[in-house]
Amino acid sequence: MATVRMIGARCMIGLRRVSKEYRQGRDSVRALDGVDLSIDAGEFVSIVGPSGSGKSTILHLMGGLDRPSAGEIAVHGRPIAHMSDDEVTLFRRRHIGFVFQSFNLLPALSAAENVALPLLLDGKRMRDVCPRVERLLELVGLERRAGHRPDELSGGEMQRVAIARALVTEPLLLLADEPTGNLDRATGDSVLELIREAHRTRGQTVVLVTHDPRAAGYGDRIVTVQDGRIVGDLPRQDPVGRSAS
């Protein structure tokens, strides 16, 4: 049985007896069943498990994209499960960066505009945020693609734009849901390196959800989910095998 880590002063994310049920017609499906989980500030945690295990549900609850059916969720000391819709939207925009498998870029916007979007939604002007956007596009190796729209970019380039967008607000927390699922192995490794480098250099808390053991190895702690429950919580045992064939 997994050992529950107690919430302390360094806690960035705390889940206590969190359950989530979904309605399917007349039936109720329990995606999570009494989950306890604590993640400290600055940790890089990988959440793994088979499809349908509940790992993405945990991530969506952490990010305020969904609400629990029961239990408590705190992010940076804030009880996000009890916030109003407007409060959680603002908290998410300012303090949480997201990277999804499907990129979620707006097709009508350029790469630079997509990166700037969280700041623009917060009332800032494009001309004022351009220096920050340019630095992030340079960080992800896309400074020459700033004016290109998503349909002019490769899958790997779109995911790099998504990472830059996730970092533009300098968030406390970076949540990545299967970020390499639509990428080939080499491109996926480069994306994971970017996420790991952001963790190292910026001190951000990172939670990565994946079904891929190789991707999970980029985290320093691996939490295993099965049938809506945490069944394992251990530090990574081996170095990331980036050169493995």
Side-chain angles (χ1 to χ4, degrees):
M1 181 178 294
T3 300
V4 176
R5 299 188 178 200
M6 299 303 294
I7 293 179
R10 282 181 45 79
C11 181
M12 174 61 68
I13 305 168
L15 280 67
R16 282 293 174 265
R17 302 200 59 79
V18 170
S19 296
K20 180 64 182 179
E21 295 185 0
Y22 295 100
R23 299 296 302 179
Q24 290 187 350
R26 296 181 179 180
D27 298 325
S28 178
V29 176
R30 177 160 286 198
L32 294 179
D33 186 10
V35 167
D36 291 308
L37 179 63
S38 179
I39 296 174
D40 284 346
E43 280 197 280
F44 187 152
V45 177
S46 296
I47 301 180
V48 302
S51 178
S53 62
K55 60 186 186 297
S56 289
T57 300
I58 291 176
L59 192 87
H60 293 169
L61 293 172
M62 288 177 177
L65 297 173
D66 203 352
R67 296 182 184 268
S69 302
E72 302 292 329
I73 302 174
V75 177
H76 196 50
R78 299 286 302 278
I80 63 171
H82 300 297
M83 290 180 180
S84 68
D85 289 344
D86 288 344
E87 287 173 331
V88 77
T89 297
L90 188 61
F91 182 82
R92 195 166 55 226
R93 184 191 303 155
R94 292 180 175 175
H95 301 299
I96 304 176
F98 294 92
V99 183
F100 297 102
Q101 179 178 345
S102 57
F103 317 133
N104 287 358
L105 303 181
L106 295 185
L109 301 184
S110 68
E113 290 166 337
N114 268 289
V115 172
L117 188 59
L119 299 176
L120 301 178
L121 291 173
D122 213 26
K124 296 178 174 60
R125 294 178 296 183
M126 188 67 189
R127 68 185 182 188
D128 294 329
V129 303
C130 272
R132 187 186 301 188
V133 170
E134 289 170 359
R135 286 196 300 271
L136 284 168
L137 285 173
E138 184 177 359
L139 175 70
V140 300
L142 292 177
E143 61 273 22
R144 295 183 180 180
R145 308 285 275 170
H148 292 253
R149 290 186 171 85
D151 63 359
E152 300 172 308
L153 303 174
S154 69
E157 287 172 334
M158 285 191 284
Q159 195 61 295
R160 286 170 177 264
V161 172
I163 291 172
R165 180 186 58 192
L167 296 175
V168 76
T169 61
E170 301 178 348
L172 302 167
L173 175 62
L174 182 63
L175 301 178
D177 192 359
E178 299 283 7
T180 62
N182 289 331
L183 306 176
D184 61 66
R185 178 165 166 169
T187 305
D189 281 355
S190 69
V191 165
L192 290 166
E193 287 287 358
L194 279 172
I195 293 173
R196 189 173 177 90
E197 188 62 20
H199 168 253
R200 285 173 175 164
T201 61
R202 297 167 179 261
Q204 287 162 322
T205 307
V206 177
V207 181
L208 167 71
V209 161
T210 183
H211 68 276
D212 180 1
R214 180 181 174 83
Y218 280 76
D220 299 313
R221 173 182 163 200
I222 299 178
V223 173
T224 303
V225 181
Q226 183 175 317
D227 297 327
R229 297 181 177 181
I230 292 176
V231 297
D233 186 347
L234 297 169
R236 188 186 72 227
Q237 299 298 311
D238 301 311
V240 178
R242 288 190 272 286
S243 63
S245 61

